[in-house]
Amino acid sequence: MASTLSRSTILLLVSTLLLLLLPFFSHNITLSQNQLIIHSSSSSFSITFNTTTTSPPPIIINNISNTNDTIIPLKHSLDSFLSNNLSCVILICSEQIIKKKSRLERIEYDLAKARAAIRQAIVSKKFKSDKNETFIPTGSIYRNSYAFHQSHIEMVKRFKVWSYREGERPIFHMGPMSNIYAVEGQFMEEIESEESPFRAKYPEEAHTFFMPISVANIIKFIYSPVIYPSDYNRDRLYRLMNDYVSVVANKYPFWNASNGADHFMVSCHDWAPEVSHEKPRLFKNFIRVLCNANNSEGFQPKRDVSLPEIYLRKGFLGPLDLGQAPHKRTILAFFAGGLHGHIRRILFEQWKDKDSDIQVFEKLPEGLNYTMLMGKSKYCLCPSGYEVASPRVVEAINAGCVPVILSNNYSLPFNDVLDWSKFSIQIPISKIPEIKNILNDIPNEEYLRLYNNVSQVKRHFVMNRPAQPFDVIHMIFLTYPCSPPAKKAKIERLLGARPKFGGPKVPGGKLSSGLP
């Protein structure tokens, strides 16, 4: 033991000395992941390390003499090698130093490999995977099916998320599991599950950091009951969000390292976009995964992620499949819903209870089944309500009904990778009076193409627990700004060409209850 310690100490001292002298050696050095080669005018030496253990790596040293173009490896003992080739010892130290890259360097290197694989898939029009792929994305619904598929492969292989542990339920680590805000709670529970493949074991390996705060529960538990107009003041929402950032920034280095550019939240509540309004500079780079993806209200497609609003019945992950075959769909277009917002007011004025082909209801008559009517319709009208998102888009897709988007400034979900023009119709608000003519003018073969594409895209809007490949959970990360498959501009903004962030650093703080 003493002999080993002495040798290790000597090795460290000699290595340090040689690090200073290395520029004076006339050697060329080649370094790979687990092998180091030093070339001189007379000979070459290679050192191979076993890097799979934490104990001092065993060393195999080969002296490679080149005679008449024939490579002859000659084994040396460590003592012999050190005594005759001390300059090579520096390679041992160098290799260990190189392996201790910063977290950012490791992540950028990892994502660079992912980007290279995606580019290769685009050029070669082939995917590369270490396992058997059970689903191969093809068809016009994808902006580039080869990039999309390789992106998914790289994401599953590499992408890791750290969900902060701070905060107590029900405001943190808990969200609604049913109704129109269900995605918020389902995502939170999935990503914090021990079995989640995206869950980072420790924060240093994470590509991104999840802020497990539920806007829906803030409204439910802190704002209710709402009695006076002043009760709608957003100050408590601001305080909770600001305090949480302060707590995690004080405890961990990650927020201040990027000024929040690799941190995100997920919410379907209408108030969610406003969490950053009080301190816009603090949240300048913060990623918001939102159902309310309104470009006119601060949603930024190059930074934020548009999330589909999915209505889930209690105890269920989706609606019953009552969709009919195309030839059994006898209703041209259908909508039923409340009078929320100016777009629906226009729709009701033009079509409510006025046409058997364009069936528009504010309240569904007794005896009629909402999901069954969707399943019998060729097109489902999806007008925005008070906010741009509507659960009817996903409901239509699940029913095999071609969505007709009636909205202004709506950044459609997963638009980076899905081509919505291939499986939906978008009609300007000014054309609502012409809906019947517009839909009747679509040739039957074009309708069948849209119908088939809706059937194909359905898997990307399904909520599974646990999450399954290509489902809505995976799609969130496929369009996430710093995941391997995100579009190049987003990746380079965060990692490939990281900007000099100018936002304020966050001092330490305490987590408040949000109460006045």
Side-chain angles (χ1 to χ4, degrees), residues 38-64:
I38 182 166
H39 307 274
S40 68
S41 58
S42 59
S43 62
S44 297
F45 298 94
S46 70
I47 306 176
T48 303
F49 298 88
N50 177 2
T51 60
T52 60
T53 63
T54 57
S55 58
I59 305 171
I60 301 172
I61 303 164
N62 294 323
N63 181 8
I64 304 173

Side-chain angles (χ1 to χ4, degrees), residues 144-247:
N144 187 303
S145 61
Y146 304 105
F148 176 79
H149 190 191
Q150 193 66 46
S151 295
H152 190 276
I153 292 170
E154 300 300 321
M155 177 190 69
V156 172
K157 183 192 302 183
R158 307 173 190 279
F159 196 57
K160 297 297 179 184
V161 180
W162 175 261
S163 179
Y164 284 113
R165 306 294 193 256
E166 288 67 31
E168 297 181 1
R169 295 187 174 201
I171 304 303
F172 304 92
H173 309 287
M174 178 180 174
M177 303 293 284
S178 60
N179 218 305
I180 61 173
Y181 303 140
V183 175
E184 185 175 303
Q186 296 285 350
F187 179 89
M188 194 177 298
E189 187 177 89
E190 173 70 23
I191 211 64
E192 293 193 333
S193 168
E194 293 283 346
E195 289 74 34
S196 172
F198 299 114
R199 185 176 183 270
K201 295 180 180 178
Y202 47 90
E204 287 75 17
E205 74 167 346
H207 296 85
T208 188
F209 300 87
F210 177 49
M211 312 281 273
I213 187 168
S214 171
V215 176
N217 278 358
I218 289 175
I219 309 308
K220 179 179 179 179
F221 293 104
I222 292 181
Y223 276 83
S224 296
V226 175
I227 301 174
Y228 304 105
S230 60
D231 291 335
Y232 286 101
N233 192 297
R234 308 296 199 261
D235 57 344
R236 286 168 284 177
L237 175 66
Y238 297 152
R239 191 181 310 147
L240 274 164
M241 195 67 193
N242 296 343
D243 285 355
Y244 196 77
V245 171
S246 181
V247 167

Side-chain angles (χ1 to χ4, degrees), residues 244-263:
Y244 196 77
V245 171
S246 181
V247 167
V248 299
N250 183 51
K251 187 172 181 179
Y252 305 95
F254 308 113
W255 177 281
N256 282 332
S258 68
N259 280 349
D262 48 8
H263 287 61

Side-chain angles (χ1 to χ4, degrees), residues 146-401:
Y146 304 105
F148 176 79
H149 190 191
Q150 193 66 46
S151 295
H152 190 276
I153 292 170
E154 300 300 321
M155 177 190 69
V156 172
K157 183 192 302 183
R158 307 173 190 279
F159 196 57
K160 297 297 179 184
V161 180
W162 175 261
S163 179
Y164 284 113
R165 306 294 193 256
E166 288 67 31
E168 297 181 1
R169 295 187 174 201
I171 304 303
F172 304 92
H173 309 287
M174 178 180 174
M177 303 293 284
S178 60
N179 218 305
I180 61 173
Y181 303 140
V183 175
E184 185 175 303
Q186 296 285 350
F187 179 89
M188 194 177 298
E189 187 177 89
E190 173 70 23
I191 211 64
E192 293 193 333
S193 168
E194 293 283 346
E195 289 74 34
S196 172
F198 299 114
R199 185 176 183 270
K201 295 180 180 178
Y202 47 90
E204 287 75 17
E205 74 167 346
H207 296 85
T208 188
F209 300 87
F210 177 49
M211 312 281 273
I213 187 168
S214 171
V215 176
N217 278 358
I218 289 175
I219 309 308
K220 179 179 179 179
F221 293 104
I222 292 181
Y223 276 83
S224 296
V226 175
I227 301 174
Y228 304 105
S230 60
D231 291 335
Y232 286 101
N233 192 297
R234 308 296 199 261
D235 57 344
R236 286 168 284 177
L237 175 66
Y238 297 152
R239 191 181 310 147
L240 274 164
M241 195 67 193
N242 296 343
D243 285 355
Y244 196 77
V245 171
S246 181
V247 167
V248 299
N250 183 51
K251 187 172 181 179
Y252 305 95
F254 308 113
W255 177 281
N256 282 332
S258 68
N259 280 349
D262 48 8
H263 287 61
F264 74 104
M265 63 171 285
V266 173
S267 181
C268 271
H269 198 278
D270 296 349
W271 288 17
E274 301 183 44
V275 298
S276 57
H277 285 188
E278 186 183 48
K279 296 184 177 181
R281 191 161 171 251
L282 175 64
F283 292 98
K284 177 182 178 181
N285 307 299
F286 181 61
I287 299 164
R288 302 170 304 168
V289 182
L290 304 172
C291 291
N292 186 16
N294 190 332
N295 293 329
S296 68
E297 296 180 357
F299 182 86
Q300 298 184 28
K302 290 186 177 181
R303 180 196 66 189
D304 301 322
V305 176
S306 178
L307 181 67
E309 191 166 280
I310 303 176
Y311 175 83
L312 296 181
R313 294 177 298 154
K314 190 172 183 179
F316 295 88
L317 291 176
L320 297 174
D321 186 356
L322 301 178
Q324 301 292 312
H327 68 279
K328 293 183 178 181
R329 292 179 180 261
T330 57
I331 303 172
L332 179 61
F334 166 75
F335 171 78
L339 179 56
H340 303 155
H342 74 284
I343 294 176
R344 294 190 187 183
R345 182 175 294 108
I346 296 171
L347 180 66
F348 287 171
E349 289 173 354
Q350 294 293 325
W351 296 106
K352 178 185 172 185
D353 302 325
K354 293 181 179 181
D355 194 292
S356 60
D357 289 330
I358 308 295
Q359 297 191 14
V360 174
F361 304 95
E362 183 174 359
K363 185 176 181 181
L364 202 61
E366 188 175 350
L368 294 181
N369 182 283
Y370 177 81
T371 305
M372 187 175 293
L373 286 171
M374 274 194 158
K376 294 174 62 177
S377 302
K378 295 174 70 175
Y379 300 94
C380 288
L381 306 180
C382 304
S384 293
Y386 291 128
E387 303 297 343
V388 291
S390 167
R392 282 157 189 82
V393 176
V394 174
E395 289 172 344
I397 291 173
N398 285 333
C401 185

